[in-house]
Amino acid sequence: MQMSNRFPRTRRDVGGDLTRAHALLVQAGLIRQVSPGIWTLLPDGWKVLRNIHQIVFDMMESVGVQNVQLPILQSCDLWEQSGRWQKYIDTKTMFTTSEYHYDAEYGLAPTAEEVVSFTVAGEIESWRDLPVILHQIGPKFRDEIRPRLGLLRGREFYMSDAYSFDRDEEGMRASYQKMKELYPRIYERLGIHKLQAVEASSGDIGGKGSVEFMALNEEVGEDLLMACDECSYGANTEVSAGNVGDVCHECKIGTFKEVRGIEIGHVFQLQQTYSKSMRVTFRDENDTEQFAWMGCYGIGTSRLIQAIVDQNHDDDGIVWPESVAPMFAHIVPVNWKDETQRALAQELYAACQDANIRTMIDDREESAGLKFKDADLLGYPYRIVVGRDAGKGLVEVRNRKTGDVENLAKEHVVKWLKERAPQ
Amino acid sequence: MQMSNRFPRTRRDVGGDLTRAHALLVQAGLIRQVSPGIWTLLPDGWKVLRNIHQIVFDMMESVGVQNVQLPILQSCDLWEQSGRWQKYIDTKTMFTTSEYHYDAEYGLAPTAEEVVSFTVAGEIESWRDLPVILHQIGPKFRDEIRPRLGLLRGREFYMSDAYSFDRDEEGMRASYQKMKELYPRIYERLGIHKLQAVEASSGDIGGKGSVEFMALNEEVGEDLLMACDECSYGANTEVSAGNVGDVCHECKIGTFKEVRGIEIGHVFQLQQTYSKSMRVTFRDENDTEQFAWMGCYGIGTSRLIQAIVDQNHDDDGIVWPESVAPMFAHIVPVNWKDETQRALAQELYAACQDANIRTMIDDREESAGLKFKDADLLGYPYRIVVGRDAGKGLVEVRNRKTGDVENLAKEHVVKWLKERAPQ
């Protein structure tokens, strides 16, 4: 991609009282608000979300979870069967719509326990068909009374949601444990370095036993947590029995401190609540009809874009983790009017394209200072500066995160980048 | 993936009066209806859609189009600005929803001219910012009075939609031409071999000059077309001046015949209709404010799943084109209880997994006949049969499409598959 064609332009000043991560997403041109809590993801924002989704899909498949796509328009009939239609109407959290021609009512996916239960109920017959875990990623809708904080609290957002179906309580616990262990690995790959798993209450979803995953964030963390300063134990303040300074009742060594975080995931043991109301049954070894034991598992993927930037930036701009970076390399010719520099920059750009390395080239006739400022703001992992040594075929490669600089002969650049690029 | 874990089971008989492609999608377990015209994509269906989307995204980027994600909840205000709110309400084609707390009205994305115009209007300033083409893929919603034909006519479906913005009419024509030439290349890669581009009327979208892309289909083609039997000229019968047997007015050689097709794409020249109502303006070289010239471009991606199966199947089942196949290889041990066969099948399966080849292994204790039947139905490109030569380390590799069979030593299987796998 050429910087001169990049949509949109970067912005210096975004005004308003935005948090740092939110401001960076606007300045670097990743998101634009269309209506309160409703966003367009611009090219870099789109690519980061795609990368997040690909990593989540791959890691789900790596533990035997099967990916599907459930519908957004969910029939009122299904929600009445589970008893949640009126509840969601009363709390004014679900958007609803009507089919004109036959007056059918639909809710717009806030979550998918009903639809996935209906789908699984139609396919499983015997205990041999279990366990099964289905996972999807798609837009979700919640009628937030006060959308705010950029991608953190929106009316339309992306969520990864998985649902496990097991033969018995022991099976449900095993599926739950598998997902609970997978989540931190997903977050780590996405660049969430400060993570806290906390015991939580289950809210509207129902069931017993749930853990929230929080990206720690002192600036805008919406949730207050009690976390042990020694072991990994933590709890939502609604749940925790302890106070600041109390000795941790898990490890008996550390003491509780208060931290703030953004919820980026939640895993639940649903027991048989939905399988009973939605009649998700199977035949056991004795040919007796049984209700499945369910769990559900959610990751907020669009809010993760902002949580990742929050944990990966410096004073100059975003510092994308390589795993989710929208582009991998950023070629900056110091002086675009200099024929030697321009030719070398274009040669390297073509070579990167051929090697399938996502690369930006700054082809603008702007000052080097402005181009470096933009490169810092956009935060692609490796910057290739083509300057006065261009005539000797030498360029400078700079690591956005560490600031480390290496001088490389032009013929080594692609190989050097390839060795560092994510698979 | 193990066949014993695959969700869902295959089905022999699906009942009802389904078209062949629709029946195959249900039998092979790619789709399940949740409500009329509303579908769940099961794992194989999900993967085919993901593959289609990846190819479309990549090919869009290859011609300089930038990918974004526009919102589904589209404010009534934007649609009133374009004058289309009442029109879509009157024709009962748009699903709408209300925000509870502040009474804001939204339409559920049937298309996105308004939102993309709003987004671009906020970013472009001068003629230097043009041209730009933005593209997204996402769920779309249309309140079809009679949903039918599986994925062909649904209330919730996936569509790729692109929008071009140019400085003048000439620019618009160039962008339109670029997209019109890109589309057949996309369809070819997806396995649509029988394609007809036809002149069409523009319907509700507005503007002048539009071409529809039709996947020819004699069984369920919803549209009647007039096509020249010599040149590539064709026209929708609403538009065509000619009759069957008339000499083609383009090439003056061929004659018109009537064919049926499924619409899988549509490209429009929108002129300045939306840029005027939505005020998409820029400053030209003389610093005068001008309205942008727009085009829009759509591909029905979920209906393509069915159109591809329609053009790629035989009496035994689906024959997936390699580019979109949900799995690439299908390992079938003739007798799972035979230790030698089972060990070799598992060894090959592990090697395929390591080499990142999407592979199914049939680990069921079923008859070879039933396993072959399922493999034919599912239609993965290469079947690896592990049978009585397993002891000698030999397997049979069968091409699903051509039926060609080769005997390979086990150590050559992965390399052989890798050479044939899509990038």
Side-chain angles (χ1 to χ4, degrees):
Chain A
M1 154 121 292
Q2 282 95 22
M3 198 67 187
S4 64
N5 293 333
R6 180 182 189 267
F7 183 86
R9 294 180 182 213
T10 58
R11 294 183 182 185
R12 286 288 156 254
D13 188 17
V14 292
D17 185 24
L18 308 186
T19 67
R20 182 76 179 125
H22 182 182
L24 285 172
L25 291 178
V26 176
Q27 288 179 307
L30 278 82
I31 61 173
R32 289 294 181 263
Q33 185 169 289
V34 180
S35 303
I38 298 175
W39 297 84
T40 284
L41 294 178
L42 299 172
D44 270 10
W46 169 84
K47 185 58 184 168
V48 173
L49 190 67
R50 285 282 291 181
N51 288 341
I52 293 172
H53 289 179
Q54 191 60 54
I55 287 171
V56 174
F57 284 137
D58 286 349
M59 293 191 75
M60 289 286 171
E61 287 195 340
S62 77
V63 297
V65 173
Q66 300 186 58
N67 294 312
V68 299
Q69 191 78 58
L70 301 164
I72 289 164
L73 290 181
Q74 303 185 348
S75 166
C76 157
D77 297 348
L78 290 175
W79 283 74
E80 280 179 340
Q81 210 181 318
S82 74
R84 291 206 297 176
W85 182 260
Q86 202 52 49
K87 200 183 285 181
Y88 270 72
I89 297 292
D90 291 345
T91 54
K92 300 187 174 180
T93 46
M94 186 154 67
F95 288 101
T96 61
T97 189
S98 304
E99 206 286 315
Y100 286 103
H101 311 290
Y102 307 98
D103 275 339
E105 286 274 313
Y106 299 97
L108 269 63
T111 170
E113 284 79 11
E114 285 78 0
V115 174
V116 77
S117 296
F118 170 84
T119 303
V120 170
E123 304 297 334
I124 60 170
E125 293 166 14
S126 91
W127 59 275
R128 290 181 196 82
D129 297 329
L130 297 178
V132 62
I133 309 182
L134 300 182
H135 168 256
Q136 70 163 352
I137 301 180
K140 300 289 183 296
F141 304 85
R142 298 214 185 137
D143 196 353
E144 292 287 349
I145 189 160
R146 200 157 61 94
R148 65 209 164 88
L149 296 171
L151 299 178
L152 293 190
R153 195 156 289 274
R155 291 193 167 127
E156 176 177 336
F157 55 94
Y158 281 80
M159 204 175 91
S160 139
D161 45 326
Y163 306 88
S164 63
F165 297 83
D166 276 275
R167 299 166 57 185
D168 49 28
E169 187 167 5
E170 195 187 334
M172 175 194 72
R173 290 225 184 94
S175 292
Y176 176 80
Q177 194 60 30
K178 175 156 87 171
M179 299 301 275
K180 210 174 89 175
E181 285 167 14
L182 178 67
Y183 270 37
R185 290 173 45 214
I186 292 176
Y187 296 127
E188 196 191 338
R189 263 194 69 185
L190 297 177
I192 297 292
H193 314 294
K194 290 172 281 181
L195 180 77
Q196 180 85 42
V198 303
E199 284 184 29
S201 76
S202 300
D204 282 348
I205 302 285
K208 279 188 222 162
S210 92
V211 163
E212 274 177 348
F213 290 89
M214 315 294 297
L216 296 185
N217 177 312
E218 292 309 314
E219 190 189 5
V220 291
E222 299 178 285
D223 294 85
L224 197 59
L225 317 170
M226 208 60 78
C228 173
D229 57 9
E230 279 290 330
C231 76
S232 65
Y233 181 80
N236 205 306
T237 45
E238 301 161 45
V239 170
S240 167
N243 293 306
V244 175
D246 284 359
V247 172
C248 169
H249 38 73
E250 281 295 297
C251 67
K252 322 275 189 207
I253 300 169
T255 53
F256 286 140
K257 63 183 175 177
E258 228 173 46
V259 294
R260 303 195 79 87
I262 297 164
E263 184 188 333
I264 52 173
H266 206 154
V267 293
F268 300 87
Q269 295 178 43
L270 293 176
Q271 316 266 17
Q272 297 181 304
T273 317
Y274 293 92
S275 60
K276 281 182 176 164
S277 58
M278 307 301 295
R279 299 207 60 80
V280 188
T281 63
F282 64 96
R283 299 247 153 218
D284 69 12
E285 288 97 326
N286 306 315
D287 204 33
T288 307
E289 192 172 35
Q290 301 281 359
F291 293 106
W293 287 74
M294 290 174 59
C296 82
Y297 317 91
I299 297 176
T301 60
S302 47
R303 57 165 38 204
L304 262 169
I305 300 174
Q306 196 164 321
I308 292 167
V309 170
D310 183 74
Q311 295 196 0
N312 297 274
H313 74 269
D314 60 21
D315 289 346
D316 300 319
I318 303 173
V319 183
W320 285 116
E322 293 176 13
S323 59
V324 297
M327 297 267 166
F328 190 69
H330 196 149
I331 300 174
V332 185
V334 174
N335 179 2
W336 185 252
K337 285 185 196 154
D338 179 297
E339 271 179 45
T340 313
Q341 290 185 23
R342 192 171 66 230
L344 178 53
Q346 286 171 330
E347 181 187 335
L348 290 173
Y349 180 63
C352 286
Q353 300 277 98
D354 285 348
N356 247 330
I357 298 168
R358 285 181 73 85
T359 304
M360 178 70 76
I361 179 169
D362 199 336
D363 60 341
R364 298 174 302 172
E365 293 185 2
E366 301 281 2
S367 73
L370 189 144
K371 290 193 279 191
F372 290 152
K373 245 188 158 55
D374 269 344
D376 279 339
L377 172 63
L378 299 184
Y380 307 143
Y382 294 100
R383 183 185 312 170
I384 297 143
V385 180
V386 182
R388 59 176 169 226
D389 290 337
K392 291 184 244 163
L394 284 178
V395 300
E396 186 188 285
V397 184
R398 187 172 193 277
N399 182 313
R400 173 70 184 86
K401 187 174 174 187
T402 62
D404 292 348
V405 168
E406 278 191 60
N407 290 300
L408 285 183
K410 65 176 188 179
E411 52 274 20
H412 296 141
V413 171
V414 166
K415 184 164 171 280
W416 192 94
L417 289 171
K418 265 284 180 199
E419 283 167 8
R420 284 154 182 84
Q423 307 251 328
Chain B
M1 155 121 289
Q2 282 97 22
M3 197 68 187
S4 63
N5 293 333
R6 181 182 188 268
F7 184 86
R9 294 180 182 213
T10 57
R11 294 183 183 187
R12 285 290 154 253
D13 188 18
V14 292
D17 186 21
L18 308 185
T19 67
R20 182 77 178 123
H22 182 182
L24 285 172
L25 291 178
V26 176
Q27 287 178 304
L30 278 82
I31 61 174
R32 288 295 180 263
Q33 185 169 290
V34 179
S35 302
I38 298 175
W39 297 85
T40 283
L41 295 178
L42 300 172
D44 270 9
W46 169 84
K47 184 59 184 167
V48 173
L49 189 67
R50 284 282 291 181
N51 288 341
I52 293 172
H53 289 179
Q54 190 60 53
I55 287 170
V56 174
F57 284 137
D58 287 348
M59 293 193 74
M60 289 286 170
E61 288 195 341
S62 76
V63 297
V65 173
Q66 300 186 58
N67 294 313
V68 298
Q69 191 76 59
L70 301 163
I72 288 165
L73 291 181
Q74 304 184 350
S75 165
C76 158
D77 297 349
L78 291 174
W79 283 74
E80 281 180 342
Q81 210 181 318
S82 74
R84 290 206 296 178
W85 182 260
Q86 201 53 49
K87 200 184 284 180
Y88 271 71
I89 297 292
D90 290 346
T91 54
K92 300 186 176 182
T93 45
M94 186 153 67
F95 288 102
T96 62
T97 188
S98 304
E99 205 287 314
Y100 286 103
H101 311 291
Y102 308 97
D103 274 339
E105 285 274 313
Y106 299 94
L108 269 62
T111 169
E113 284 79 11
E114 284 78 1
V115 174
V116 77
S117 296
F118 170 84
T119 302
V120 170
E123 305 296 334
I124 60 171
E125 293 165 14
S126 92
W127 59 274
R128 290 181 196 84
D129 298 330
L130 299 177
V132 61
I133 310 181
L134 299 183
H135 168 256
Q136 70 163 351
I137 302 180
K140 301 287 183 297
F141 304 85
R142 296 211 187 137
D143 196 353
E144 293 287 349
I145 190 162
R146 201 156 61 94
R148 64 207 165 90
L149 294 170
L151 299 178
L152 293 190
R153 195 155 289 274
R155 292 194 167 125
E156 176 177 336
F157 55 94
Y158 281 81
M159 204 175 91
S160 138
D161 44 327
Y163 306 88
S164 63
F165 297 83
D166 275 275
R167 299 166 56 185
D168 50 28
E169 188 167 7
E170 196 187 333
M172 175 195 72
R173 288 223 185 95
S175 292
Y176 176 81
Q177 194 59 31
K178 176 156 88 171
M179 298 300 277
K180 210 174 89 174
E181 285 168 13
L182 178 67
Y183 270 37
R185 290 173 45 215
I186 292 176
Y187 296 126
E188 198 192 336
R189 263 194 67 185
L190 297 177
I192 297 292
H193 315 294
K194 290 171 279 178
L195 180 77
Q196 180 84 42
V198 302
E199 284 184 29
S201 75
S202 300
D204 283 347
I205 302 285
K208 279 187 221 163
S210 91
V211 162
E212 275 177 346
F213 290 89
M214 315 292 299
L216 296 185
N217 178 312
E218 292 309 314
E219 189 189 5
V220 291
E222 299 179 285
D223 295 85
L224 198 60
L225 317 170
M226 208 59 80
C228 172
D229 58 9
E230 279 290 331
C231 77
S232 64
Y233 181 80
N236 205 307
T237 45
E238 301 162 44
V239 169
S240 168
N243 292 307
V244 175
D246 285 359
V247 172
C248 169
H249 37 74
E250 282 293 299
C251 67
K252 321 273 188 210
I253 299 168
T255 53
F256 286 142
K257 61 182 177 173
E258 228 172 47
V259 295
R260 303 195 78 88
I262 297 164
E263 184 188 333
I264 52 173
H266 206 155
V267 293
F268 300 88
Q269 296 177 44
L270 293 176
Q271 317 266 13
Q272 297 181 303
T273 317
Y274 294 91
S275 60
K276 282 182 176 164
S277 58
M278 307 301 295
R279 298 208 60 80
V280 188
T281 64
F282 65 94
R283 300 247 153 217
D284 69 12
E285 288 96 325
N286 307 314
D287 204 32
T288 307
E289 194 173 34
Q290 301 281 0
F291 293 107
W293 287 74
M294 290 175 58
C296 82
Y297 316 91
I299 296 176
T301 60
S302 47
R303 56 164 41 203
L304 261 169
I305 301 174
Q306 196 164 323
I308 291 167
V309 170
D310 183 73
Q311 295 197 0
N312 296 274
H313 72 269
D314 59 21
D315 288 346
D316 300 319
I318 302 173
V319 182
W320 285 115
E322 293 177 12
S323 59
V324 297
M327 297 267 165
F328 190 68
H330 196 150
I331 300 174
V332 185
V334 174
N335 179 2
W336 185 252
K337 285 184 197 155
D338 178 297
E339 269 179 47
T340 312
Q341 290 187 24
R342 192 170 66 229
L344 178 53
Q346 285 171 330
E347 181 188 336
L348 290 173
Y349 179 64
C352 286
Q353 299 277 96
D354 285 346
N356 246 330
I357 298 167
R358 285 181 71 86
T359 304
M360 178 70 77
I361 179 169
D362 199 335
D363 59 340
R364 299 175 300 173
E365 293 184 3
E366 301 281 2
S367 74
L370 188 144
K371 291 193 278 189
F372 290 152
K373 244 187 159 58
D374 269 344
D376 279 338
L377 172 62
L378 300 184
Y380 307 143
Y382 294 99
R383 183 185 313 169
I384 297 142
V385 180
V386 182
R388 58 176 168 226
D389 290 337
K392 291 183 245 162
L394 284 179
V395 299
E396 185 189 285
V397 184
R398 186 172 194 277
N399 182 314
R400 173 68 184 88
K401 187 175 175 185
T402 62
D404 292 347
V405 167
E406 279 190 59
N407 290 301
L408 285 183
K410 65 176 187 176
E411 51 274 21
H412 296 141
V413 172
V414 166
K415 185 164 170 280
W416 191 94
L417 289 171
K418 264 284 180 200
E419 283 166 7
R420 283 153 183 85
Q423 308 250 328

